[in-house]
Amino acid sequence: MFRSETALWLGVISVLPEMFDALAAQGVTGRAVQTGRVILHRFNPRDFVVDGYRRIDDRPYGGGPGMVMMAEPLQAAIRAAKTQAALDGWHEVPVLCMSPQGRVLKQADVQAMARQQAFIVLCGRYEGIDERLLAKEVDAEWSIGDYVVSGGELPAMVLLDALIRLQDQVLGDADSADQDSFSHGLLDCPHYTRPPDWEGLDVPEVLRSGDHAAIARWRFEQQCERTRQRRPDLWDEWRKMTGR
Ligand code: 4G3
């Protein structure tokens, strides 16, 4: 698949590449991959180890619990990903690593990243990755939030889903990207669908009024009110930004 028909080229480096089946087969991301708008290549560092045991991890210098991912197999996998990228027509592809030590990802970061069209995403496991590999081969470390999970695969899928759905919106309906919560720094408004009365709870009258200006006004007020109540940090930021 060549870059003319591809919106996004992705290489993931993971010792559990099958985890990405979920991204590649299901939902909005699955459709993007199946139709070739997104190319997803997987590289298992284990496939790049020559020794009989295919070791990719070893004990940490300085002692302590757990294992550390070795630099050599990861470097080999990154090189293979870059070679594949070049074959597919993509050059100078940035290498990202998902890590609790990374910068915490915001929607604005995803929007900035979506301007790039090819990425290699490294997924660590165990206690982490040899720091020298990060220094030599990784361009940026990203975190999806201040918590730890057992591998970088789920965080990578979170990032890739966010990128793919934006790419989709760029190609298709640009309005829906604009309507995302956070795209303007406020939480989303509440949503309602049929039936109009559900278990004694009804739909706000304004939404059934057909008055589009009044609906837009109501939704905006709801966004402000919810942001103020639930996310005072975002509300302060929004007020600074808009001078309110
Ligand atoms: C330590 C990312 C753990 C180092 C990864 C990878 C949470 C996130 C791991 C490392 C992770 C996150 C794997 N847990 N908050 N676990 O984005 O490179």
Side-chain angles (χ1 to χ4, degrees), residues 96 98 105 110 113 121 144 155-164:
L96 314 181
M98 306 312 295
L105 189 71
V110 178
M113 263 186 224
V121 186
I144 60 160
M157 282 189 266
V158 168
L159 167 62
L160 298 181
D161 182 300
L163 282 168
I164 291 169

Side-chain angles (χ1 to χ4, degrees), residues 145-163:
D146 291 335
Y147 44 88
V148 179
V149 296
S150 52
E153 287 80 3
L154 289 170
M157 282 189 266
V158 168
L159 167 62
L160 298 181
D161 182 300
L163 282 168

Side-chain angles (χ1 to χ4, degrees), residues 184 235-244:
H184 297 288
W235 181 241
D236 281 348
E237 198 54 43
W238 195 82
R239 281 171 54 182
K240 260 185 267 157
M241 290 270 294
T242 57
R244 287 192 158 219

Side-chain angles (χ1 to χ4, degrees), residues 21-223:
D21 288 351
L23 186 86
Q26 307 292 325
V28 164
T29 56
R31 207 163 316 117
V33 172
Q34 285 153 21
T35 58
R37 281 174 293 134
V38 171
I39 295 292
L40 179 69
H41 286 284
R42 307 176 219 197
F43 302 87
N44 188 341
R46 242 182 251 288
D47 296 339
F48 300 89
V49 202
V50 282
D51 81 31
Y53 300 101
R54 304 221 293 165
R55 283 215 77 82
I56 46 125
D57 61 333
D58 209 336
R59 286 147 54 212
Y61 276 114
M67 301 295 266
V68 176
M69 292 185 95
M70 299 167 74
E72 195 70 33
L74 294 180
Q75 183 184 50
I78 291 168
R79 292 205 167 141
K82 287 185 169 174
T83 299
Q84 183 65 58
L87 286 170
D88 291 348
W90 302 87
H91 300 277
E92 285 169 38
V93 179
V95 178
L96 314 181
C97 179
M98 306 312 295
S99 157
Q101 280 71 52
R103 188 164 143 211
V104 176
L105 189 71
K106 300 291 189 301
Q107 185 66 22
D109 301 316
V110 178
Q111 281 162 344
M113 263 186 224
R115 283 195 284 270
Q116 276 277 356
Q117 294 176 93
F119 301 92
I120 293 165
V121 186
L122 176 56
C123 307
R125 295 221 135 229
Y126 319 109
E127 301 317 300
I129 295 170
D130 190 310
E131 190 66 23
R132 294 167 298 180
L133 183 280
L134 298 175
K136 204 156 195 269
E137 302 286 351
V138 171
D139 298 300
E141 289 183 74
W142 288 100
S143 167
I144 60 160
D146 291 335
Y147 44 88
V148 179
V149 296
S150 52
E153 287 80 3
L154 289 170
M157 282 189 266
V158 168
L159 167 62
L160 298 181
D161 182 300
L163 282 168
I164 291 169
R165 66 183 289 286
L166 264 191
Q167 208 84 46
D168 259 35
Q169 288 166 344
V170 169
L171 298 177
D173 137 51
D175 274 4
S176 58
D178 217 51
Q179 277 173 28
D180 280 350
S181 37
F182 302 120
S183 71
H184 297 288
L186 294 174
L187 299 184
D188 202 3
C189 62
H191 301 286
Y192 298 87
T193 187
R194 293 192 303 163
D197 179 328
W198 180 74
E199 303 217 331
L201 302 171
D202 46 21
V203 174
E205 199 52 51
V206 61
L207 296 180
R208 305 178 61 199
S209 68
D211 182 341
H212 298 297
I215 290 168
R217 213 158 41 237
W218 181 86
R219 284 179 168 161
F220 178 66
E221 283 160 9
Q222 290 288 315
Q223 285 192 279

